[in-house]
Amino acid sequence: MKKCPYCFEVLKEGSQKCPFCDQFIIDDLICVDYKSLEKKKCFFCGKRILKESRICKHCHQWLDRVSDASDTYDKIE
Ligand SMILES: [Zn+2]
Ligand SMILES: [Zn+2]
């Protein structure tokens, strides 16, 4: 299946804009053969998002700069 390179939600092949995180797809879609089940909490809004997400599909905040912090936060929970 193809996934959004930003929020890692499943997208249709050829999608130009992700309906989940509202980003235009300027990178290639990620091709995976598994469904992501692991979740983490968004550092900004606290909602559940996929563990691999680089952007929150709820509040559209980029998580790259806090990825280390949110990983630690996830283990504590
Ligand atoms: Zn997305
Ligand atoms: Zn969020």
Side-chain angles (χ1 to χ4, degrees):
M1 63 182 77
K2 305 283 187 183
K3 292 188 155 215
C4 172
Y6 314 118
C7 69
F8 281 77
E9 292 289 344
V10 178
L11 294 182
K12 288 198 185 98
E13 194 156 3
S15 298
Q16 299 195 323
K17 190 179 182 191
C18 176
F20 300 99
C21 63
D22 218 27
Q23 298 297 305
F24 285 101
I25 311 294
I26 51 174
D27 299 303
D28 289 334
L29 294 179
I30 294 168
C31 191
V32 294
D33 57 5
Y34 64 92
K35 196 166 168 59
S36 294
L37 294 173
E38 283 194 89
K39 300 275 179 77
K40 65 182 177 186
K41 271 187 184 172
C42 171
F43 196 77
F44 298 97
C45 69
K47 291 188 177 154
R48 308 291 279 179
I49 54 176
L50 294 172
K51 198 174 183 353
E52 299 99 321
S53 304
R54 292 170 55 207
I55 185 171
C56 175
K57 66 176 180 175
H58 301 288
C59 64
H60 299 172
Q61 293 282 348
W62 286 90
L63 305 169
D64 288 21
R65 58 206 163 100
V66 294
S67 60
D68 289 345
S70 62
D71 281 351
T72 307
Y73 184 75
D74 207 41
K75 277 167 199 157
I76 292 168
E77 193 185 18

